[in-house]
Amino acid sequence: MRLAFMGSPDFAVPALRALHAAGHEIAAVYAQPPRPAGRGQRETPCPVHRAALDLGLPVRTPARLRRDAAEHEAVAALNLDAAIVAAYGLILPKPMLDAPRRGCLNIHASLLPRWRGAAPIHAAILAGDAESGVTIMRMEEGLDTGPMLLKEATPIGPETTVQALHDALAEIGARLVLRALDEDPRAVPQPEEGVTYAPKLTKEDGRLDWSQHAAALERRVRALNPWPGTFFTHGGEQIRVLSASVEPGSGAPGTLLDGAALVACGSGALRLTRLQRPGRAAMDADAFLRGFALPAGSVIG
């Protein structure tokens, strides 16, 4: 089948590789443009761009699509059977959605209609969902509103991190999109009830609000690392929290209940088990506390 692939981050790479390995003709790969990265701020291609080059596939990196008639015409000229989209990062205008004969199929990392939007993997963990999954949907102009072709669920355990869930869903998506192309399943409209949205995350979403329940904060730590990262402030520094666990305890929110980084929350307490100072290596709490005191009775922000 003659395809275009549109994606940018690591999540999309397994699907690109699976489509190539299955023998589909990938006429073009669309990815976000290279951006400055690292200490030297060198222009760096995104993961899908790099994977496409490894596979010898042509890559296009337009900065915008909505009003770019040349890109609309370029997609139409590809004579596509379908376009596969996975976390591309640009909104496809109607001329591009309509160009492939079988439309544009999106690999969405949630069980739609739950968690439409930009950060569905994080949102599922933050909300304490028991499961997540992948939906293959046919795209339309609305935000993740198109009809569904296939779904597959996977459980979210009490220790599941966003990275582990991300990797599991990426592999499910790669497998499921191959099935969608092979089987051409009937499209089913999304139900109107049960719709939730997962907005784009910002760095401020990582600030730990000690007035919340300890269990909610522990989920936040699992959901937002490595990016945007969870943190608190103390002694004029912003300290990252990389892992934590819920324990019994009570006190004014933000108060350290012992000298081993147990913090009182709105309900219960959170034991901080792995921490990182700015510009320093991440450490387990016992090693961290030998160089940065968090004395019992003090309050962290």
Side-chain angles (χ1 to χ4, degrees), residues 132-276:
S132 182
V134 170
T135 304
I136 307 297
M137 54 167 283
R138 182 169 292 123
M139 297 177 69
E140 57 183 28
E141 289 185 273
L143 177 63
D144 300 329
T145 58
M148 304 176 294
L149 302 178
L150 292 172
K151 281 186 179 183
E152 183 175 325
T154 190
I156 299 175
E159 298 182 354
T160 300
T161 63
V162 72
Q163 190 64 56
L165 184 57
H166 167 282
D167 294 350
L169 296 180
E171 294 301 328
I172 291 172
R175 182 171 67 251
L176 217 56
V177 77
L178 293 179
R179 277 188 54 201
L181 292 175
D182 290 345
E183 299 172 12
D184 194 17
R186 181 175 64 89
V188 178
Q190 293 187 41
E192 295 183 3
E193 66 277 3
V195 174
T196 55
Y197 290 92
K200 186 176 180 178
L201 295 166
T202 70
K203 288 186 178 181
E204 191 59 25
D205 288 314
R207 183 181 295 275
L208 294 171
D209 177 359
W210 303 112
S211 67
Q212 294 183 0
H213 195 293
L217 292 174
E218 188 275 336
R219 291 196 301 270
R220 184 163 293 271
V221 171
R222 285 189 286 120
L224 301 189
N225 281 301
W227 194 91
T230 48
F231 66 91
F232 64 90
T233 56
H234 187 65
E237 291 192 29
Q238 190 176 97
I239 309 300
R240 291 191 65 180
V241 179
L242 303 178
S243 66
S245 61
V246 177
E247 293 189 12
S250 62
T255 302
L256 288 153
L257 300 179
D258 62 20
L262 181 66
V263 188
C265 303
S267 178
L270 194 69
R271 177 76 68 185
L272 312 181
T273 56
R274 191 163 178 79
L275 300 158
Q276 185 177 19

Side-chain angles (χ1 to χ4, degrees), residues 4 6 75 80-85 92-107 136-140 146-147 149 177 181:
M6 300 176 175
V75 170
L80 300 172
D81 294 304
I84 307 302
V85 183
L92 302 187
K94 194 172 190 306
M96 295 182 75
L97 292 171
D98 293 344
R101 282 179 286 277
R102 286 177 56 179
C104 297
L105 307 187
N106 180 237
I107 304 171
I136 307 297
M137 54 167 283
R138 182 169 292 123
M139 297 177 69
E140 57 183 28
L149 302 178
V177 77
L181 292 175

Side-chain angles (χ1 to χ4, degrees), residues 3 23 88 107 285-286:
L3 307 173
Y88 177 31
I107 304 171
D286 55 351

